Coordinates of all heavy atoms in Angstrom, one line a residue:
G10 N -38.0 -108.4 49.3 CA -39.1 -109.0 48.6 C -39.2 -110.5 49.1 O -38.2 -111.2 49.0
S11 N -40.3 -110.9 49.8 CA -40.4 -112.2 50.3 C -41.4 -113.1 49.5 O -42.1 -113.9 50.0 CB -40.8 -112.2 51.8 OG -42.1 -111.6 51.9
G12 N -41.6 -112.7 48.2 CA -42.5 -113.4 47.3 C -41.9 -114.7 46.8 O -41.1 -115.3 47.5
V13 N -42.4 -115.1 45.6 CA -42.0 -116.4 45.1 C -40.5 -116.6 45.0 O -39.9 -117.5 45.6 CB -42.6 -116.6 43.6 CG1 -42.1 -117.9 43.0 CG2 -44.1 -116.5 43.6
L14 N -39.8 -115.7 44.4 CA -38.4 -115.8 44.2 C -37.6 -115.4 45.5 O -36.6 -116.0 45.9 CB -37.9 -115.1 43.0 CG -37.6 -116.0 41.8 CD1 -36.2 -116.7 42.0 CD2 -38.7 -117.0 41.6
G15 N -38.0 -114.3 46.1 CA -37.3 -113.8 47.3 C -37.2 -114.8 48.4 O -36.2 -115.0 48.9
Y32 N -36.5 -108.8 54.0 CA -37.2 -107.5 54.1 C -38.4 -107.5 53.2 O -38.3 -107.9 52.0 CB -36.3 -106.3 53.7 CG -37.0 -105.0 53.4 CD1 -37.6 -104.3 54.5 CD2 -37.3 -104.6 52.1 CE1 -38.3 -103.2 54.2 CE2 -38.0 -103.5 51.9 CZ -38.5 -102.7 52.9 OH -39.3 -101.6 52.7
D33 N -39.6 -107.0 53.7 CA -40.7 -106.8 52.8 C -41.5 -105.6 53.4 O -41.1 -105.1 54.4 CB -41.6 -108.0 52.7 CG -42.4 -108.1 51.4 OD1 -43.0 -107.1 51.0 OD2 -42.3 -109.2 50.7
I34 N -42.5 -105.1 52.7 CA -43.1 -103.9 53.0 C -44.0 -103.9 54.3 O -44.4 -102.9 54.8 CB -43.9 -103.3 51.8 CG1 -44.8 -104.3 51.2 CG2 -43.0 -102.6 50.8 CD1 -45.7 -103.8 50.0
I38 N -47.2 -109.3 55.6 CA -46.6 -110.1 54.4 C -45.5 -111.0 54.9 O -45.4 -112.1 54.5 CB -46.1 -109.1 53.3 CG1 -47.4 -108.4 52.7 CG2 -45.4 -109.8 52.2 CD1 -47.0 -107.3 51.7
A90 N -35.6 -108.7 45.0 CA -36.6 -109.5 44.3 C -38.0 -108.9 44.6 O -38.9 -109.5 45.0 CB -36.6 -110.9 44.8
V91 N -38.1 -107.6 44.3 CA -39.4 -106.9 44.4 C -40.1 -107.0 43.1 O -39.5 -107.4 42.1 CB -39.2 -105.4 44.9 CG1 -38.3 -105.4 46.2 CG2 -38.7 -104.5 43.9
P92 N -41.4 -106.6 43.0 CA -42.2 -106.8 41.8 C -41.5 -106.2 40.5 O -40.8 -105.2 40.5 CB -43.5 -106.1 42.0 CG -43.6 -106.2 43.5 CD -42.2 -106.0 44.1
E93 N -41.8 -106.9 39.4 CA -41.2 -106.6 38.1 C -41.8 -105.4 37.5 O -42.4 -105.4 36.4 CB -41.3 -107.8 37.2 CG -40.5 -107.8 35.9 CD -39.0 -108.0 36.1 OE1 -38.5 -107.9 37.3 OE2 -38.3 -108.1 35.1
I97 N -41.5 -99.4 40.8 CA -41.3 -99.9 42.2 C -39.8 -100.1 42.4 O -39.3 -99.8 43.5 CB -42.1 -101.3 42.3 CG1 -43.6 -101.0 42.3 CG2 -41.7 -101.9 43.7 CD1 -44.5 -102.2 42.5
K98 N -39.2 -100.7 41.4 CA -37.7 -100.9 41.6 C -37.0 -99.6 41.8 O -36.1 -99.5 42.6 CB -37.2 -101.8 40.4 CG -37.7 -103.2 40.4 CD -36.8 -104.1 39.6 CE -37.4 -105.4 39.2 NZ -37.4 -106.5 40.3
F101 N -37.5 -98.2 45.1 CA -36.9 -99.0 46.1 C -35.4 -98.7 46.2 O -34.8 -98.4 47.2 CB -37.1 -100.5 45.8 CG -36.3 -101.4 46.7 CD1 -36.6 -101.5 48.1 CD2 -35.2 -102.1 46.2 CE1 -35.8 -102.3 48.9 CE2 -34.4 -102.9 47.1 CZ -34.7 -103.0 48.4
N118 N -32.6 -109.3 40.9 CA -33.1 -110.6 40.3 C -34.1 -110.4 39.1 O -34.7 -111.3 38.7 CB -33.7 -111.4 41.4 CG -34.2 -112.8 40.9 OD1 -33.5 -113.5 40.2 ND2 -35.4 -113.2 41.2
S119 N -34.2 -109.2 38.6 CA -35.1 -108.9 37.6 C -35.0 -109.8 36.4 O -33.9 -110.1 35.9 CB -34.9 -107.4 37.1 OG -35.7 -107.2 35.9
S120 N -36.1 -110.3 35.9 CA -36.0 -111.3 34.7 C -36.0 -110.5 33.4 O -35.4 -111.0 32.4 CB -37.3 -112.1 34.7 OG -37.3 -113.0 35.8
H141 N -29.5 -113.3 38.4 CA -30.8 -113.9 38.1 C -31.0 -115.3 38.3 O -30.2 -116.2 37.8 CB -31.1 -113.6 36.5 CG -32.4 -114.0 36.0 ND1 -32.5 -114.9 35.0 CD2 -33.6 -113.7 36.4 CE1 -33.8 -115.2 34.8 NE2 -34.5 -114.4 35.6
F142 N -31.9 -115.7 39.2 CA -32.2 -117.1 39.5 C -33.4 -117.6 38.7 O -34.2 -116.8 38.2 CB -32.5 -117.2 41.0 CG -31.3 -116.8 41.9 CD1 -31.3 -115.5 42.4 CD2 -30.3 -117.6 42.2 CE1 -30.2 -115.1 43.2 CE2 -29.2 -117.2 43.0 CZ -29.2 -116.0 43.5
N144 N -37.0 -120.0 38.8 CA -38.0 -120.5 39.8 C -37.6 -121.9 40.2 O -37.1 -122.7 39.4 CB -39.4 -120.5 39.1 CG -40.5 -120.6 40.2 OD1 -40.3 -120.5 41.4 ND2 -41.7 -120.8 39.7
Ligands
NAD301 P1 -43.8 -111.7 43.9 O1 -44.9 -110.8 43.5 O2 -44.1 -113.2 44.2 O3 -43.0 -111.1 45.1 C1 -42.7 -109.7 45.2 C2 -42.6 -109.4 46.7 O4 -42.1 -108.0 46.8 C3 -43.9 -109.4 47.5 O5 -43.7 -110.1 48.7 C4 -44.2 -107.9 47.7 O6 -44.9 -107.7 49.0 C5 -42.8 -107.4 47.8 N1 -42.7 -105.9 47.6 C6 -43.5 -105.1 46.9 N2 -43.0 -103.8 46.9 C7 -41.8 -103.9 47.7 C8 -40.9 -102.9 48.1 N3 -41.0 -101.7 47.7 N4 -39.8 -103.3 48.8 C9 -39.7 -104.6 49.2 N5 -40.6 -105.6 48.8 C10 -41.6 -105.2 48.1 O7 -42.7 -111.6 42.7 P2 -41.6 -112.7 42.2 O8 -42.2 -113.6 41.3 O9 -40.9 -113.2 43.4 O10 -40.6 -111.7 41.4 C11 -39.7 -110.9 42.1 C12 -38.6 -110.6 41.1 O11 -37.9 -111.8 40.8 C13 -39.0 -109.9 39.8 O12 -38.0 -109.0 39.4 C14 -39.0 -111.1 38.8 O13 -38.7 -110.7 37.5 C15 -37.9 -111.9 39.3 N6 -38.0 -113.4 39.0 C16 -39.2 -114.0 39.1 C17 -39.2 -115.4 38.7 C18 -40.5 -116.2 38.9 O14 -40.6 -117.3 38.3 N7 -41.5 -115.8 39.6 C19 -38.1 -116.0 38.2 C20 -36.9 -115.3 38.1 C21 -36.9 -114.0 38.5

Side-chain angles (χ1 to χ4, degrees):
S11 64
V13 177
L14 256 285
Y32 164 74
D33 209 307
I34 46 176
I38 295 175
V91 311
E93 192 69 350
I97 294 184
K98 291 202 195 277
F101 173 72
N118 182 46
S119 171
S120 294
H141 181 237
F142 298 97
N144 195 11

